[in-house]
Amino acid sequence: MKITKICCIGAGYVGGPTMAVIAQKCPEIQVTVVDLNEERIAAWNDENINNIPIYEPGLDKIVLEARGRNLFFSTDVEKAIDEAQIIFISVNTPTKTYGKGKGMAADLKYIELCARQIARVAKDNKIVVEKSTLPVRTAEAIKSILDNTGNGVQFQILSNPEFLAEGTAVQDLLNPDRILIGGDSSSEGQKAIEALVEVYSNWVPAVKILTTNVWSSELSKLTANAFLAQRISSINAVSELCEKTGADVNEVAKAIGMDSRIGSKFLKASVGFGGSCFQKDILNLVYIAKSYGLNEVADYWEQVIIMNDHQKRRFSNNIVQTLYNTVSDKKITFFGWAFKKDTNDTRESAAIYVADDLINENAKIAVYDPKVSRKKVLADLDYLETRTASANADSVLSFDTPYDACANSHAIAVLTEWDEFIQYDWQKIYDSMQKPAFVFDGRNVLNGPALEAIGFVYQGIGS
Ligand code: UDX
Ligand code: ADP
């Protein structure tokens, strides 16, 4: 089957960049990204390319090149479904906040709505691709809805998980480590796999395109994220031990990372991992394991989350303790709010939880993040429902420049590893702060000895 039209439901962090790259690399395929959120679609269509809703290095150029040529953003979901041969489902799958599996299982409400809509609209055979991370065996549920509520047309369900990391999405999409496509073993299933393989073959070498059965593909995505998160919790556990023993976690990470069996990546101790995937996917894994009665397996993976929560709390506790056991009415400056550098995404960012702890201690938090607005900071805190929105607004101060954010501050906490933080005029910052001036480097990115030479009291993670 020659693919000429693709539709993607969900214009978010996954759908937007992924489809932009497919459109750029496959000029003969018309790619339409649809979303119910009108504001989001309007932003994707904004003539000023700086206003597209997702910040990713290099994404603006790709959107500029393809938009209007073969890349379209629209709220007309039904039309796009009707026309497409391949439909990607890229909607959000948050952790359930109610009922059975609350706080652990993925909420498949949005996925199910998509499946029902596809079934209602489709008048010819379609390939439906799961792009969102989903619990194992979701494809089965999607298939059941499509087959039972459809118009008698054939649906093939593929699992094609996304492995891009935010901040490097464009590079990850252009040069992926692998593309994973899971499908049915029937000849129809194999044809669907081949059709999708052909799309990716426009720019991905054949050796990097892996085809499996649907369940392996679904489980591989959860497992890849669980392994990555586990490495961070492992090095963070070691960071606490380093602080007690006089070892330096950066040196330990380098020493163990040179073992080619371990490898050097993803061994950076930090204030804790965030992002929309790691915690959600592990909770999902834990839930699935428990539902099969595999309690030891569930406990094993849950420990990764427990360690991560501990690391965030340990960071805020240390700030309070170091500032003479009280931060009440003290201005504490946060450098960074995003869950990592080069993204405006703040989902599950450690900054939210550290701020929440410090506000409980009556601190005033002055946030400076080059890509995150005050509105977003407050929305993140309000979402926790620890206190009223007006109490959050009273506790969070926002400034347009990092220097204003630091004036009269008692301490600076680095929550995101933005490169620009390293370049700041730290003498100027020091001069404007209360003394002693503390820096808590939750990302180990600043030059500790240089800051100490200026007069700061500097504390990194794990040394
Ligand atoms: C992750 C996976 O990397 C990606 O393959 C998957 O598709 C989605 O989930 P993402 O969450 O975007 O991507 O970012 P990632 O770079 O993995 O970072 C996650 C968190 O871990 C961030 O908060 C980051 O700061 C933190 N981290 C990462 C560390 O604390 N130390 C490290 O060594 C690496
Ligand atoms: P992700 O990180 O998985 O891409 P996002 O939350 O950034 O998640 O994006 C998911 C998008 O999916 C949101 O913009 C949301 O409005 C959209 N969405 C959810 N359900 C539907 C639906 N039934 N039809 C169209 N769009 C939807």
Side-chain angles (χ1 to χ4, degrees):
M1 188 201 296
K2 185 85 194 140
I3 301 301
T4 53
K5 284 189 178 157
I6 287 178
C7 146
C8 172
I9 308 179
Y13 281 92
V14 173
T18 309
M19 293 303 128
V21 168
I22 291 184
Q24 189 208 28
K25 293 294 180 186
C26 312
E28 71 292 353
I29 300 179
Q30 179 182 312
V31 180
T32 307
V33 189
V34 291
D35 203 297
L36 296 172
N37 184 334
E38 291 178 9
E39 208 181 318
R40 208 164 206 184
I41 290 298
W44 278 112
N45 283 321
D46 202 304
E47 275 185 25
N48 181 349
I49 195 68
N50 295 321
N51 292 339
I52 60 173
I54 283 158
Y55 172 74
E56 280 292 336
L59 180 61
D60 48 357
K61 279 203 193 71
I62 292 179
V63 171
L64 270 182
E65 181 187 329
R67 195 175 60 183
R69 179 188 72 188
N70 65 324
L71 175 64
F72 302 93
F73 296 93
S74 160
T75 52
D76 194 343
V77 182
E78 299 204 345
K79 178 165 180 273
I81 291 174
D82 179 33
E83 291 179 347
Q85 297 140 308
I86 298 187
I87 301 160
F88 286 88
I89 303 184
S90 253
V91 301
N92 33 335
T93 49
T95 303
K96 274 186 89 175
T97 53
Y98 56 89
K100 189 158 177 279
K102 177 180 171 182
M104 295 199 124
D107 192 342
L108 299 180
K109 178 167 76 178
Y110 304 107
I111 296 282
E112 177 167 347
L113 285 172
C114 283
R116 288 186 184 277
Q117 193 169 20
I118 295 170
R120 200 173 60 244
V121 172
K123 296 197 278 295
D124 52 9
N125 297 351
K126 307 278 186 205
I127 299 171
V128 176
V129 185
E130 303 177 335
K131 199 69 184 158
S132 319
T133 309
L134 297 167
V136 185
R137 299 216 161 246
T138 305
E140 210 164 51
I142 296 180
K143 183 148 183 55
S144 162
I145 293 169
L146 289 172
D147 289 346
N148 286 299
T149 63
N151 305 312
V153 300
Q154 293 293 313
F155 293 103
Q156 278 304 321
I157 321 293
L158 300 179
S159 159
N160 171 220
E162 189 46 72
F163 293 105
L164 67 82
E166 288 177 28
T168 54
V170 170
Q171 274 319 309
D172 295 342
L173 286 162
L174 292 174
N175 304 303
D177 284 348
R178 80 302 209 182
I179 295 288
L180 183 56
I181 302 175
D184 200 43
S185 61
S186 66
S187 79
E188 289 306 309
Q190 293 303 306
K191 274 189 207 145
I193 293 181
E194 276 164 33
L196 190 55
V197 167
E198 202 169 305
V199 172
Y200 283 109
S201 298
N202 281 294
W203 78 99
V204 181
V207 288
K208 291 193 170 181
I209 304 180
L210 215 64
T211 59
T212 64
N213 75 35
V214 180
W215 325 128
S216 300
S217 171
E218 288 181 335
L219 188 59
S220 299
K221 168 68 187 194
L222 292 184
T223 309
N225 276 344
F227 267 63
L228 290 169
Q230 180 205 41
R231 277 175 78 93
I232 303 170
S233 277
S234 296
I235 199 70
N236 282 344
V238 171
S239 77
E240 190 171 12
L241 201 55
C242 286
E243 287 167 26
K244 297 288 179 228
T245 57
D248 179 330
V249 76
N250 295 321
E251 292 176 352
V252 174
K254 184 162 185 197
I256 64 171
M258 285 172 77
D259 184 324
S260 61
R261 293 167 303 176
I262 296 175
S264 61
K265 292 181 183 163
F266 258 71
L267 284 179
K268 234 182 142 4
S270 68
V271 55
F273 61 75
S276 70
C277 286
F278 283 174
Q279 170 155 322
K280 186 183 78 178
D281 289 355
I282 292 177
L283 288 174
N284 220 323
L285 204 56
V286 169
Y287 183 73
I288 294 168
K290 278 196 180 145
S291 67
Y292 287 110
L294 308 179
N295 293 327
E296 288 77 8
V297 177
D299 289 351
Y300 176 76
W301 288 110
E302 193 166 16
Q303 200 59 37
V304 174
I305 305 274
I306 293 171
M307 187 62 221
N308 197 48
D309 288 340
H310 171 67
Q311 188 77 348
K312 292 183 266 187
R313 179 124 311 139
R314 202 163 80 72
F315 188 76
S316 50
N317 284 347
N318 180 47
I319 293 179
V320 177
Q321 253 173 36
T322 309
L323 297 186
Y324 314 106
N325 285 315
T326 176
V327 289
S328 181
D329 286 323
K330 288 181 179 168
K331 178 179 174 185
I332 316 252
T333 304
F334 273 33
F335 274 175
W337 189 265
F339 81 96
K340 61 189 271 196
K341 75 172 179 179
D342 291 338
T343 176
N344 60 350
D345 193 351
T346 63
R347 287 178 287 180
E348 290 300 326
S349 179
I352 306 169
Y353 298 92
V354 174
D356 194 54
D357 283 350
L358 294 176
I359 295 171
N360 279 341
E361 297 286 332
N362 291 339
K364 300 284 184 210
I365 310 293
V367 181
Y368 179 77
D369 185 295
K371 291 285 174 198
V372 182
S373 66
R374 172 182 170 81
K375 193 173 150 203
K376 188 83 196 63
V377 169
L378 291 177
D380 288 337
L381 285 168
D382 292 347
Y383 186 76
L384 297 183
E385 295 184 346
T386 310
R387 62 192 74 75
T388 64
S390 77
N392 279 328
D394 287 344
S395 304
V396 175
L397 320 164
S398 300
F399 299 89
D400 291 336
T401 77
Y403 299 102
D404 292 339
C406 294
N408 287 318
S409 174
H410 288 260
I412 295 170
V414 178
L415 276 303
T416 313
E417 72 281 25
W418 286 101
D419 292 335
E420 67 174 71
F421 297 159
I422 301 161
Q423 317 299 337
Y424 288 168
D425 181 343
W426 282 91
Q427 181 68 54
K428 180 173 161 185
I429 290 175
Y430 179 77
D431 292 342
S432 75
M433 285 176 66
Q434 302 273 349
K435 306 294 172 333
F438 294 92
V439 172
F440 299 93
D441 188 351
R443 296 291 187 162
N444 288 349
V445 284
L446 301 176
N447 182 339
L451 292 185
E452 281 166 353
I454 292 173
F456 283 104
V457 181
Y458 174 86
Q459 289 188 12
I461 300 271
S463 59

